Amino acid sequence: MGFRTALVILAILAMSVLAVAVLILRPQLLVYMFIVFAPCVAIFLMEGGSRRFAWIGSAALTVSAAGPIIFGALLDTTRFVMGDTWVWVVPVGAGMLGTAIAVVLPVVGEMMTAREQKGQFEALEERQQALIAEWGEEQLREPLNPPG
């Protein structure tokens, strides 16, 4: 069993335990849980391939933001979670931030790597021109072509 499979099993188990606790203690919180975690499920279903990272970022930040709210509502029966605006905004915003981190950071890293490779390729071309000037054209077998 791989890490990804273990992570999915652990997430399903944790959410199941939380859902059962909510169902037993405060059933109205199930609506809140389904609505708050719906974007995580949608991102999981939209991501293709074997390398799924955005749903992990979204689910992790949503759980870290919604978990204390749910546990607090389970312990304090006088608290009305469904009517509080921040109870909705913070977990959904955290999930969106997690998705943005998982989607944007690899793109930024790829751009930085491409810029560095372009600079290295330009340095190689300059060195090739210097070697051609020093040794002559007959030593050149084929010109350098940039990758991609």
Side-chain angles (χ1 to χ4, degrees):
M1 174 173 27
F3 177 73
R4 181 174 162 256
T5 306
L7 186 64
V8 170
I9 290 170
L10 183 65
I12 291 171
L13 181 64
M15 291 307 294
S16 300
V17 168
L18 186 61
V20 168
V22 167
L23 183 63
I24 292 170
L25 298 174
R26 291 206 49 198
Q28 66 270 23
L29 282 177
L30 278 178
V31 174
Y32 173 75
M33 283 180 57
F34 284 126
I35 292 173
V36 167
F37 288 103
C40 301
V41 174
I43 291 168
F44 178 79
L45 295 175
M46 285 189 300
E47 273 187 314
S50 63
R51 305 183 86 190
R52 297 177 179 217
F53 295 109
W55 81 271
I56 295 171
S58 176
L61 286 177
T62 301
V63 167
S64 67
I69 294 168
I70 293 169
F71 287 125
L74 286 175
L75 297 174
D76 183 11
T77 56
T78 61
R79 185 171 181 201
F80 182 64
V81 173
M82 305 300 261
D84 189 4
T85 305
W86 287 107
V87 166
W88 294 97
V89 171
V90 171
V92 172
M96 291 170 53
L97 179 66
T99 303
I101 289 170
V103 171
V104 171
L105 283 182
V107 172
V108 170
E110 185 66 32
M111 288 175 22
M112 291 171 55
T113 302
R115 185 178 54 188
E116 182 180 328
Q117 287 176 346
K118 185 178 178 185
Q120 290 173 350
F121 188 77
E122 289 171 356
L124 283 174
E125 282 182 326
E126 290 174 10
R127 178 70 177 144
Q128 182 185 29
Q129 294 303 322
L131 289 173
I132 289 172
E134 184 180 333
W135 292 350
E137 189 72 34
E138 66 276 355
Q139 300 294 329
L140 182 64
R141 293 188 184 149
E142 62 181 60
L144 290 175
N145 293 322

